[in-house]
Amino acid sequence: AQSVTQLGSHVSVSEGALVLLRCNYSSSVPPYLFWYVQYPNQGLQLLLKYTSAATLVKGINGFEAEFKKSETSFHLTKPSAHMSDAAEYFCAVSPNAGNNRKLIWGLGTSLAVNP
Amino acid sequence: ETGVTQTPRHLVMGMTNKKSLKCEQHLGHNAMYWYKQSAKKPLELMFVYNFKEQTENNSVPSRFSPECPNSSHLFLHLHTLQPEDSALYLCASSQEIVYTFGSGTRLTVV
């Protein structure tokens, strides 16, 4: 069975500071891993995904994430926060096996960026 | 433009009303989903359709009735809802592993 844990439901950073949003997963099979972002009053938008290729994945808007199998982690980072990064961020896992493409979602982390 | 269009964006309905939510995608995806998003709760998968066939119903109350007439359109028919059904209802489509979401319908039941 798969599960996702996002540590910290709220993260606050200053503009220009490092953004680090944590995601740990459990999976009995090799996983696909995703980060989605949700801006206010919008749906979810794919930021980046890991599909068993390079462990360091680059996404849109300057975000990247690193798959660390030994730590079962897929933390999201951005070197310098921008005001426009304020949003809700969701980590998700899907089994990299079979035809099941159902996503298991974390509870989300709300990112606030202070001027 | 996300590729998945949901209408209406906002809906207020009484508990005795009947209304429908609409979702449309022209991405050529073969799977479509309804999710419920409530404050301080994880995303709840409600229904899954693959090639127009319902493949999953996550114990959703019968007051929610999905319809998928073709692979591009998905509806969620609502009747005799409860105030706790107030939420953001998100439609998504996928091809393989990547989901594309609509902007959602903000539903308020009064």
Side-chain angles (χ1 to χ4, degrees):
Chain A
Q2 288 78 35
S3 67
V4 175
T5 302
Q6 290 184 242
L7 294 175
S9 59
H10 297 278
V11 171
S12 182
V13 300
S14 298
E15 190 173 19
L18 171 71
V19 175
L20 170 61
L21 303 182
R22 299 177 186 275
C23 174
N24 288 88
Y25 70 92
S26 66
S27 179
S28 55
V29 298
Y32 291 138
L33 293 158
F34 307 81
W35 277 100
Y36 282 81
V37 61
Q38 184 178 30
Y39 298 104
N41 301 313
Q42 295 293 320
L44 282 71
Q45 179 183 1
L46 180 67
L47 267 180
L48 49 79
K49 64 182 186 292
Y50 167 77
T51 57
S52 73
T55 56
L56 182 62
V57 181
K58 295 186 184 299
I60 62 172
N61 302 339
F63 284 93
E64 62 182 37
E66 186 173 7
F67 171 66
K68 291 187 177 181
K69 184 178 178 180
S70 61
E71 299 177 8
T72 61
S73 69
F74 191 59
H75 302 330
L76 182 70
T77 60
K78 181 174 180 177
S80 176
H82 192 272
M83 297 295 288
S84 60
D85 294 327
E88 189 87 14
Y89 291 80
F90 293 91
C91 183
V93 63
S94 177
N96 180 11
N99 295 316
N100 183 358
R101 293 292 177 253
K102 190 168 78 171
L103 290 179
I104 307 300
W105 296 90
L107 289 175
T109 297
S110 177
L111 175 66
V113 181
N114 306 310
Chain B
E1 173 58 53
T2 65
V4 177
T5 303
Q6 288 188 245
T7 54
R9 290 296 307 273
H10 300 272
L11 177 62
V12 179
M13 60 185 289
M15 289 189 284
T16 58
N17 291 158
K18 289 185 180 181
K19 297 286 184 183
S20 296
L21 310 185
K22 180 181 177 182
C23 177
E24 184 173 357
Q25 62 95 3
H26 294 289
L27 301 169
H29 291 173
N30 54 29
M32 296 187 77
Y33 311 79
W34 280 117
Y35 278 91
K36 177 183 179 183
Q37 186 177 35
S38 304
K40 303 188 189 308
K41 290 186 177 181
L43 275 167
E44 298 176 46
L45 179 62
M46 300 175 72
F47 301 105
V48 181
Y49 279 82
N50 275 294
F51 295 103
K52 304 187 300 178
E53 299 297 321
Q54 187 180 126
T55 55
E56 191 152 346
N57 175 341
N58 276 347
S59 303
V60 180
S62 59
R63 57 185 183 271
F64 295 90
S65 174
E67 178 189 3
C68 189
N70 55 60
S71 57
S72 298
H73 293 86
L74 185 64
F75 296 89
L76 188 62
H77 303 300
L78 316 171
H79 67 97
T80 59
L81 294 191
Q82 304 298 311
E84 60 265 28
D85 297 322
S86 298
L88 181 67
Y89 288 84
L90 293 166
C91 174
S93 67
S94 72
Q95 185 72 27
E96 296 298 323
I97 59 168
V98 177
Y99 284 37
T100 301
F101 282 83
S103 296
T105 295
R106 174 68 63 185
L107 173 67
T108 303
V109 181
V110 297

